[in-house]
Amino acid sequence: MQLPLWRIDRIIHGLTNGEVIAYPTEGVWGLGCLPELHASVAHILTLKRRSWKAGLILVASQISHVDEYLDGITLEQRRLLESVWPAPVTFLVPDNGFVPSWIKGKNKRVALRVSAHPIVQDICQALGGPIVSTSANPTGRKPATSALKVRQYFGNEVDLLVPGNLSGQEGPSEIRDLNTDEIIRSRRVI
């Protein structure tokens, strides 16, 4: 599903003004905001009842959107990312000092993904960069798999619910360590 231009404009306006959005991804609904807006990130963490120490994922529509975070990786690691992305695969990349503490938490790595989901693609393309992506659920509860479940969890605490559908996967993205290629969290395809 491609978003109409007027809706993309509304989403971008909201994000740049500190709003938190809920949007469909490959396997679950996500909560997102601009990563540089500390207050918006703090709002997401409050909604999820999650400590900032755990860190958050950044999702983009193309690898160039996360180049700043990739400074310092090897050519072989870059090729691995390019061979996998776009996909519902999040890589834990060594922190090069670019990512704010409210995104990486207490971690020495930053979680990055380049998504193939058309709505994520539309949003990040229009922004020219990544957004925060964390599952739309309070900590300890199952991630939302519908807009209705997002509303049940958060009511009107989410500023904007982006319409759309999940695609091709069941559950959150796979998480892999870029240094070791170890799978930290596996994914299930439906």
Side-chain angles (χ1 to χ4, degrees), residues 63-82:
I63 199 166
S64 65
H65 290 163
V66 294
D67 274 342
E68 296 92 351
Y69 306 99
L70 300 177
D71 189 33
I73 67 170
T74 67
L75 182 57
E76 183 179 309
Q77 289 171 325
R78 176 75 181 215
R79 286 184 181 140
L80 173 63
L81 295 175
E82 290 171 348

Side-chain angles (χ1 to χ4, degrees), residues 16-188:
T16 56
N17 285 286
E19 290 185 354
V20 169
I21 65 170
Y23 57 96
T25 68
E26 289 88 349
V28 299
W29 276 71
L31 296 176
C33 67
L34 292 184
E36 61 270 18
L37 298 181
H38 182 260
S40 300
V41 173
H43 183 61
I44 286 176
L45 294 172
T46 298
L47 289 172
K48 287 185 64 74
R49 295 182 218 126
R50 177 179 173 157
S51 170
W52 70 274
K53 295 176 184 178
L56 295 164
I57 295 172
L58 297 181
V59 66
S61 59
Q62 58 190 40
I63 199 166
S64 65
H65 290 163
V66 294
D67 274 342
E68 296 92 351
Y69 306 99
L70 300 177
D71 189 33
I73 67 170
T74 67
L75 182 57
E76 183 179 309
Q77 289 171 325
R78 176 75 181 215
R79 286 184 181 140
L80 173 63
L81 295 175
E82 290 171 348
S83 72
V84 172
W85 285 342
V89 178
T90 298
F91 279 92
L92 300 177
V93 176
D95 174 28
N96 63 11
F98 186 78
V99 66
S101 61
W102 57 85
I103 296 295
K104 74 173 182 172
K106 288 284 191 178
N107 303 300
K108 294 181 178 168
R109 300 173 293 183
V110 58
L112 304 173
R113 182 170 84 246
V114 174
S115 176
H117 192 282
I119 291 173
V120 176
Q121 286 271 319
D122 285 350
I123 293 168
C124 294
Q125 278 299 113
L127 277 171
I131 60 173
V132 168
S133 184
T134 185
S135 59
N137 60 291
T139 299
R141 307 286 299 273
K142 289 186 177 186
T145 55
S146 69
L148 176 61
K149 194 64 174 177
V150 172
R151 284 293 183 214
Q152 288 174 341
Y153 280 151
F154 305 116
N156 292 323
E157 293 295 312
V158 171
D159 299 300
L160 181 63
L161 195 66
V162 178
N165 298 307
L166 304 179
S167 63
Q169 179 182 311
E170 185 177 323
S173 66
E174 176 179 294
I175 298 179
R176 291 165 61 178
D177 186 304
L178 182 63
N179 284 339
T180 65
D181 205 27
E182 174 189 0
I183 296 175
I184 310 297
R185 179 177 73 193
S186 60
R187 64 185 162 126
R188 298 185 323 214

